Amino acid sequence: MDTDGDRAGDTGGEDTPETAGKAQGSGEAADSKTRVTVLIALAANLVIAVAKAVGGLLSGSPALLSEAAHSVADSLNEIFLLASLKRSRKAPDSDHPFGYGKERYFWALLAAVGIFVMGGCFSVFQGVQALGSDENEGSTGYIVGLIVLAVALVAEGTSLTRALIQLRASKKGAAQDPTLRTVLAEDSTAVLGVVLAMLGMALHWITGNIVWEASASFAIGALLVYIAYRLGSEARAQLIGETVDKETVRRIRGLLDEQPEIDNVAALLTMKLGLDSALVAARVDLSPGMDSERVELVCERIKRDVTRTWPEADQVFIDITEAPPAEGRDAERQR
């Protein structure tokens, strides 16, 4: 029994077939472009990883071996990201009624771990090992290493350019895609890492001091650890359950406040369920005197308005309470 005398109820909502189809179609089209971007990055990283590893073994360059580890980590991460594109689009089922949209964030988290372990830690290890080594590279080794890095710079730059073009050509939502963000972070870091490796190798060649190349390995490792931390933090926030952006929350609350049947929006909770899916849960006080049939019609209309305005809000739930009369509310405030 409701001790407050209010009638409360939970009403859940789903998106209409039209808005669902539109959102799904645009999402799949964006995924298709992202898949091409990831495949280009994967192909570039596989070729570069082999070239860097062979060049590093022939020249004995720690910076080049660090970059080889970096490319191997990136290649593995691209496989993770391809898996996320497919799995995140699985239809909801009885075990996962809100769908599989958060798969993207899980695989993005694994990619961050891969960057940290296979890229960052190995690069630091190579730097430490180089400091304890007295071996000097021959001129041939330097030349081979620099040529390999120059080719890698072109390939990584091409992959980065493709990702940036997709980002600029896409809607705002593309910037929120953890898959695209990861590719952008990897390619940007790869370009900077290659530049650092080239500088370290060139200075080692000129001065004969291994410290320069060891320092390049440390710098590459620190850069990868930082990128892994940033990507991991973003994925963690999404997996835990993050609200939609504040502007959207403000606009949804504004829409609810504009409804003539709503006296007060007591609570509004939102959570991202995936790249183009979100949950909206609101507790609202309705004007007194409405019968149950009208309450249901009002709820359905509000849910449709929310979903029509924000197609990504495909799960809308409204907890309805009947507000007490105005004089009753005034008396309650005076207590």
Side-chain angles (χ1 to χ4, degrees):
M1 180 177 179
D2 190 349
T3 56
D4 293 334
D6 293 341
R7 179 172 48 79
D10 291 329
T11 58
E14 297 180 356
D15 52 338
T16 63
E18 293 80 4
T19 55
K22 182 178 180 181
Q24 183 177 5
S26 60
E28 290 177 352
D31 280 359
S32 178
K33 295 178 181 178
T34 303
R35 186 175 292 106
V36 173
T37 300
V38 175
L39 287 172
I40 291 174
L42 175 60
N45 281 316
L46 286 174
V47 173
I48 294 168
V50 173
K52 288 177 180 176
V54 172
L57 292 173
L58 290 177
S59 65
S61 167
L64 196 52
L65 289 174
S66 295
E67 274 300 296
H70 182 184
S71 294
V72 170
D74 285 352
S75 299
L76 182 61
N77 291 340
E78 257 92 57
I79 295 174
F80 288 160
L81 298 178
L82 288 173
S84 76
L85 290 174
K86 180 178 180 180
R87 295 182 63 86
S88 65
R89 289 296 173 186
K90 290 175 62 179
D93 53 38
S94 58
D95 293 327
H96 299 86
F98 293 114
Y100 290 79
K102 289 194 176 186
E103 284 267 10
R104 287 187 188 241
Y105 309 118
F106 170 74
W107 291 101
L109 180 61
L110 287 187
V113 173
I115 292 174
F116 176 81
V117 176
M118 297 183 64
C121 293
F122 186 79
S123 294
V124 173
F125 171 75
Q126 283 295 316
V128 172
Q129 191 175 49
L131 289 176
S133 175
D134 295 329
E135 297 181 5
N136 288 319
E137 305 168 26
S139 296
T140 303
Y142 289 115
I143 294 172
V144 169
L146 290 172
I147 290 175
V148 169
L149 288 173
V151 172
L153 184 61
V154 173
E156 298 286 11
T158 301
S159 179
L160 176 60
T161 300
R162 160 70 194 190
L164 288 172
I165 289 174
Q166 181 186 345
L167 182 65
R168 293 190 63 180
S170 301
K171 296 181 179 179
K172 180 181 177 182
Q176 317 250 332
D177 187 349
T179 303
L180 185 57
R181 282 205 314 267
T182 302
V183 173
L184 281 168
E186 287 179 350
D187 288 346
S188 301
T189 307
V191 170
L192 185 54
V194 169
V195 172
L196 289 173
M198 293 179 76
L199 286 174
M201 183 176 288
L203 290 171
H204 183 195
W205 188 7
I206 294 170
T207 64
N209 193 341
I210 190 66
V211 170
W212 290 109
E213 233 174 313
S215 298
S217 290
F218 287 134
I220 293 169
L223 180 63
L224 291 173
V225 168
Y226 172 73
I227 292 299
Y229 170 76
R230 288 294 302 272
L231 291 174
S233 296
E234 292 173 359
R236 171 181 172 274
Q238 299 290 2
L239 286 171
I240 292 174
E242 188 175 53
T243 183
V244 301
D245 63 274
K246 293 181 179 180
E247 176 62 19
T248 300
V249 172
R250 186 187 67 79
R251 292 174 61 195
I252 292 175
R253 180 177 287 275
L255 184 148
L256 296 176
D257 286 334
E258 291 172 358
Q259 305 302 313
E261 298 87 356
I262 294 180
D263 265 9
N264 177 53
V265 180
L268 177 61
L269 304 176
T270 65
M271 183 173 67
K272 295 178 183 176
L273 300 176
L275 183 60
D276 49 14
S277 177
L279 181 148
V280 176
R283 182 175 184 183
V284 300
D285 297 325
L286 292 184
S287 302
M290 296 175 59
D291 59 40
S292 59
E293 183 176 352
R294 190 181 174 198
V295 167
E296 184 176 352
L297 291 175
V298 167
C299 279
E300 291 303 320
R301 191 197 73 227
I302 293 173
K303 288 184 289 184
R304 283 197 305 270
D305 289 346
V306 171
T307 302
R308 187 180 298 112
T309 308
W310 298 278
E312 66 273 18
D314 54 353
Q315 300 290 340
V316 181
F317 297 86
I318 300 178
D319 179 16
I320 298 296
T321 61
E322 186 175 303
E327 57 270 17
R329 292 200 301 272
D330 294 339
E332 184 68 25
R333 293 192 189 102
Q334 294 172 1
R335 289 182 184 178

